[in-house]
Each structure stands twice: as structure tokens, then as C-alpha cells.
Amino acid sequence: MQTKMWKVDKNVDNLITYPQITEAADLLRRNEVVALPTETVYGLGGNAQSDEAVSKIFSAKGRPADNPLIIHIAHEQQLEDFIKDIPAKAKTLMERFWPGPLTLILEKKEGVLSELATAGLSTVGVRMPDHPVALALIEASGLPIAAPSANMSGRPSPTTAEHVRSDLDGRVSGILDGGPTGVGVESTVVDCTEEFPVILRPGGITEEQLQEAIGQIRTDPALSDPRKAPKAPGMKYRHYAPNAPLFLVDGSVEQIQSLIGEKQAEGKKVGVLTTEENEARYQADVVISCGRRDALATVAEALYDTLRAFNESSVDIIFGEVFPESGVGTAIMNRLSKASGSPIIMMK
Ligand code: TXA
Ligand code: MG
């Protein structure tokens, strides 16, 4: 399949009338799949009401069938078609954080969405992305749009159209290039089907922000206990992994440098994933900074690009610094731990 690339300037007025958007929306209405920018990561969009479109999403990504998709909307009225009812706390969260990087799990109406999109569950995840290109495309299509991150399953999520192309060229009908995404990590997933909402995946909206909006909020215990089964099916999979093994180290620059030295002495090519503050202090074969430690949003923004960059330098092993688990640091550490797949090396 030929993958069409369209460039769009997200800052122009009346995006919905642009030929790139109308052409992409036509493809969506014909149950083809198209990658689109959002404020978090690029998504791979398809008609959420069509088994044909949704099965194309799963096969393009090589995604396991038991992992449900997030449905993207441009207007809250769209929810009436496929959501049973909206609990008061969910309503508050929508008013406060939509459009934005927050996915709410709600009870669905039966018989509207493709069963494949929701993996046969009685609930569905929905969000309104805060990106003019995504909103214009959804609106132009007139459809609820199912969209997982537009990477091959298991790879780091894409934050540029180039990342999408390198994973999905020839596997999807088109890619709308709206420039790099901003937030860099995916939306926070919150289950609103229980009295006290539960965070199933940390993301762009922080626990602190959620608490401030609705008071008590819980976190799925499986996020900190690998023996428990996560409530978001996608959280059980290894994800985001660079080609070389990644080990996170809770230690000083000197301690991490000593680990680097040991591996180099064994003849290995060693990478280190660090921050601007520490970049000049390491001697490794490949040193990559993913942003500023004193501004964690910059780390979130560059994280996946950094993980992908290590693949280009073909290192044998990567050591990575850890980050404080508060604010967006919780999402950063969740993704880094999944990319690593090994316990943190504690040196402190
Ligand atoms: O920022 C984002 O959320 C991006 C952009 C493209 O919107 N999308 C994204 O989708 O990250 P995906 O498919 O890569 O991750 C969706 C996560 C998975 O962990 C999935 O298991 C969970 O949401 N999820 C979806 N529906 C669910 C449901 N009904 N119950 C529990 N978890 C659900
Ligand atoms: Mg994903």
C-alpha cells in the first residue's frame, strides 16, 4: 500500500476546509486508516464504528486483540451516541481538562462502536485531543475516531510524523504531518466507572491536577506491583523498548560512570540517557540528553525521540538516570520502567 504524506500547518485558521484534511477525512469515511498528530503522541485513526477500519488498525500495528482502543471526539455531544451516562466526577474532569491529555473510561452503550475497538469490554476509553489538526480531522469525518499510538506495537510511541513513517510506511493509507507533538507522553487514563476514580495509566495530566479537581483519586495498585494484573489491558505489555537493553540507575553521576566503565572494559559500546544538567559529566560511547531535570515537561516531550535515537547509534547497553515520581515524573518513570523491563539498579 502507498502511504500518502500530507503536511499541515496547525496554526492556520479554518483547517477543516484544507484539502489535506478533507482528503484524510474521506479516507476515514471509507474505513481506511490515517495517522494524525495529537498533543501527546501521533495516533493511528480509524472509524470506531467499523470492524473493517478497526481491524486495519490492529493489523497495521501488530497489536494484540485484547488491548482496547481510545475513542477520540471533537465535541462532547458525540458522547451521547455511545456512552450510557456520565458520572458527576467524570463531567467535572471533562470540563476541567478537555480538550487535553486525559482519557476517561466510561460505560458504553451497546451496539454502536465496533466490538473490536473495545476488545469486547462493557466500557470504553474516550478523549478529546487538544490539537487543531486532530480536532479538524475528527470533525470533518463526522465520526468517533479510534486511535492508538501510531507505532508498531512494542516500539516507543511516535512524537513526529517521521517516527510514524519509519514504523508504518506502506502499512497505512496516510500520515498527516502537523509537526512534533508537545506533551510527549500519552494521556492519563482514568477509570470513572467506580465511585472514586482510579488512574490506570499515568500521563500528561498529573495525579496532583486530578486531585485538585475532584478530591480523592486512587491509582491502580498494579502500577507499582508487578504481581498484580493491570486494569488497562495495555499496561501489561513490555513497551517503548530500545533495541539495546536499558538499565535505570538510582545513583550519582560518579556511580553511573563506574557502571559505564565496567561495561566498556568488557568491550561493550555503552550509551547513557541523561539530562542537560549532567550531559557533560559522562564519558560513554553515546551520551544523549532528554531534556532538563529542573523542567520535567521537557523530558516528557523528548523521551520517546531519545529512546528511538539510541537505535541509530547501535549501542550494546544503555544506562539511564531516574526521575522523581511526582507531577509528570510519574508518567516518565512509568514509561522508562516499561522500556527497561528490569528492576532499577539501586546504588544510593
Ligand atoms: O495520548 C494518548 O492516549 C494516545 C493518543 C493517540 O491519543 N493514545 C494512546 O492509545 O496512547 P494506546 O492505544 O496506545 O493506549 C490506550 C491505553 C491502553 O493501555 C489500553 O489498554 C487502555 O488505554 N484502555 C483503552 N480502553 C480501555 C478500557 N475500556 N478499559 C481499560 N483500559 C483501556
Ligand atoms: Mg500505545
Side-chain angles (χ1 to χ4, degrees):
M1 162 191 321
Q2 178 85 16
T3 300
K4 187 141 194 189
M5 293 284 283
W6 304 274
K7 269 206 187 293
V8 263
D9 177 357
K10 66 175 180 181
N11 297 313
V12 299
D13 288 336
N14 264 329
L15 257 175
I16 195 164
T17 62
Y18 276 65
Q20 299 95 315
I21 299 286
T22 49
E23 203 182 320
D26 274 346
L27 285 169
L28 290 174
R29 275 195 301 271
R30 282 190 266 132
N31 298 332
E32 298 297 338
V33 297
V34 168
L36 62 140
T38 81
E39 80 282 32
T40 57
V41 301
Y42 274 73
L44 180 59
N47 176 2
Q49 295 170 332
S50 155
D51 283 347
E52 184 194 356
V54 171
S55 57
K56 284 179 187 167
I57 295 176
F58 278 90
S59 62
K61 277 182 63 92
R63 181 176 175 108
D66 71 345
N67 191 5
L69 308 180
I70 294 171
I71 313 303
H72 295 65
I73 57 168
H75 300 286
E76 263 179 50
Q77 301 90 283
Q78 285 182 277
L79 292 178
E80 285 166 24
D81 299 337
F82 63 91
I83 294 298
K84 261 196 191 149
D85 60 3
I86 303 173
K89 284 176 185 162
K91 189 90 203 142
T92 305
L93 291 175
M94 285 174 195
E95 278 160 15
R96 182 71 194 275
F97 298 112
W98 279 7
L102 178 67
T103 294
L104 302 177
I105 306 293
L106 299 166
E107 298 286 347
K108 72 173 187 187
K109 280 184 185 158
E110 292 301 329
V112 187
L113 300 171
S114 156
E115 281 296 310
L116 302 175
T118 56
L121 300 176
S122 63
T123 58
V124 60
V126 282
R127 87 175 190 100
M128 189 189 291
D130 187 14
H131 196 291
V133 174
L135 292 172
L137 179 65
I138 299 166
E139 186 163 358
S141 74
L143 297 167
I145 297 297
S149 49
N151 50 285
M152 282 305 281
S153 218
R155 298 253 297 151
S157 298
T159 52
T160 65
E162 188 47 39
H163 294 163
V164 179
R165 209 178 56 80
S166 80
D167 278 19
L168 298 178
D169 193 23
R171 305 177 71 88
V172 301
S173 292
I175 302 172
L176 269 168
D177 179 354
T181 61
V183 177
V185 290
E186 299 89 337
S187 62
T188 305
V189 177
V190 175
D191 181 357
C192 292
T193 63
E194 300 193 29
E195 192 196 341
F196 293 106
V198 187
I199 297 174
L200 305 187
R201 177 178 74 177
I205 298 291
T206 65
E207 181 177 356
E208 294 84 344
Q209 286 175 293
L210 295 168
Q211 233 156 26
E212 209 224 306
I214 54 165
Q216 189 180 344
I217 182 142
R218 296 187 293 132
T219 297
D220 184 355
L223 291 182
S224 50
D225 183 349
R227 289 164 304 180
K228 296 204 167 99
K231 286 176 79 184
M235 297 299 283
K236 67 175 180 279
Y237 295 106
R238 176 101 192 272
H239 223 115
Y240 316 113
N243 296 340
L246 166 68
F247 293 94
L248 301 176
V249 188
D250 189 0
S252 64
V253 169
E254 291 70 28
Q255 287 168 323
I256 297 175
Q257 184 62 51
S258 72
L259 294 175
I260 296 168
E262 276 171 31
K263 288 294 163 192
Q264 285 179 321
E266 292 170 16
K268 299 240 160 73
K269 186 171 174 188
V270 185
V272 59
L273 192 166
T274 179
T275 46
E276 281 179 29
E277 285 89 341
N278 296 337
E279 198 176 0
R281 299 172 62 198
Y282 287 104
Q283 277 158 359
D285 298 283
V286 178
V287 180
I288 305 183
S289 157
C290 59
R292 296 208 331 268
R293 186 165 281 284
D294 69 354
L296 285 182
T298 63
V299 173
E301 189 177 346
L303 188 66
Y304 293 139
D305 186 58
T306 309
L307 290 173
R308 282 174 181 259
F310 279 109
N311 291 347
E312 268 127 55
S313 56
S314 60
V315 289
D316 299 310
I317 183 169
I318 307 162
F319 291 109
E321 295 177 0
V322 295
F323 294 90
E325 293 201 42
S326 60
V328 76
T330 312
I332 293 168
M333 283 306 291
N334 170 269
R335 305 305 192 272
L336 279 174
S337 303
K338 287 200 168 295
S340 164
S342 305
I344 296 175
I345 300 174
M346 308 293 284
M347 299 193 84
K348 276 190 171 152

